[in-house]
Amino acid sequence: MNKKKLAGYAILAAAFTVLGAIAGVKQDAKGPVTTTYAPTDGRAHTAVTNLYAQSLNDLSGKPQALSQWKGKPLLVNFWASWCAPCVSEMPELSELAAKDGGKRFNVIGIGIDSPTNLAEFAKKIKISYPLYVGGMGATDLARGLGNANGGLPYTVLIGADGQVKKTYLGRLKFDQLRADLAKL
């Protein structure tokens, strides 16, 4: 990897860390920012269509079409290995995904990090849901799905109809998430 690219990743990582820390501190007491993101001008539908049009590598480097997740509720978690709130919520998110087993909804993680960092992370912590390498391009995907500030973790609940039902900025509050999933 060339030095300019590495420096760019380092600067971006530092910026996300600061934004994530600020969002985490501000949201810790009251939970994540949650919104129903469904603009009437069709932007949410276009963003979901764009998400499903993507093909991202899994951690073994094999391209995976995200269109495979259409038709069933999907929880998309944008995260990074250097993001403390992201890492702290992953075991409980993994447990939730494993318990449901894809019967009512699916969970995927899109890492905003280098393939090497994501693969090393996955060796240390066992995650039951698919993880994909989004790299820095995943930031644009998250922004399109309502993450205007670019903070992490950022989670999007998409209904079986392909509509964004809710978004969560910051560490997930799982009681609230379970209640939202029950409404699907």
Side-chain angles (χ1 to χ4, degrees):
M1 183 181 290
N2 69 33
K3 290 182 181 182
K4 284 185 180 180
K5 209 174 204 180
L6 186 59
Y9 276 127
I11 290 169
L12 197 54
F16 273 118
T17 300
V18 169
L19 287 172
I22 291 169
V25 168
K26 286 184 176 181
Q27 300 306 320
D28 196 35
K30 58 186 177 191
V33 174
T34 61
T35 58
T36 300
Y37 181 69
T40 57
D41 63 4
R43 283 182 297 160
H45 180 70
T46 301
V48 172
T49 301
N50 185 38
L51 175 76
Y52 287 141
Q54 300 296 312
S55 179
L56 299 176
N57 288 347
D58 61 20
L59 296 185
S60 67
K62 183 179 175 191
Q64 299 288 328
L66 297 187
S67 61
Q68 68 183 297
W69 303 109
K70 280 184 182 179
K72 196 179 264 192
L74 180 66
L75 197 62
V76 182
N77 180 253
F78 291 91
W79 68 286
S81 62
W82 42 261
C83 167
C86 301
V87 172
S88 71
E89 75 182 6
M90 289 180 88
E92 195 168 354
L93 188 56
S94 183
E95 182 181 318
L96 180 70
K99 185 177 179 183
D100 183 74
K103 290 182 285 257
R104 294 181 307 118
F105 63 91
N106 291 297
V107 178
I108 64 171
I110 299 179
I112 300 176
D113 208 335
S114 73
T116 304
N117 288 350
L118 296 176
E120 287 177 13
F121 174 83
K123 286 179 189 174
K124 296 175 193 169
I125 298 181
K126 192 72 170 162
I127 303 298
S128 67
Y129 53 90
L131 297 177
Y132 301 107
V133 179
M136 295 303 118
T139 304
D140 290 335
L141 282 175
R143 284 187 200 284
L145 291 163
N147 189 3
N149 295 326
L152 291 176
Y154 184 69
T155 306
V156 182
L157 178 58
I158 301 170
D161 60 359
Q163 298 296 312
V164 173
K165 302 300 182 187
K166 204 157 197 182
T167 62
Y168 312 83
L169 176 60
R171 191 182 190 295
L172 289 166
K173 297 292 184 193
F174 285 89
D175 289 342
Q176 178 182 9
L177 177 60
R178 285 181 186 89
D180 293 338
L181 288 167
K183 294 175 190 173
L184 296 175

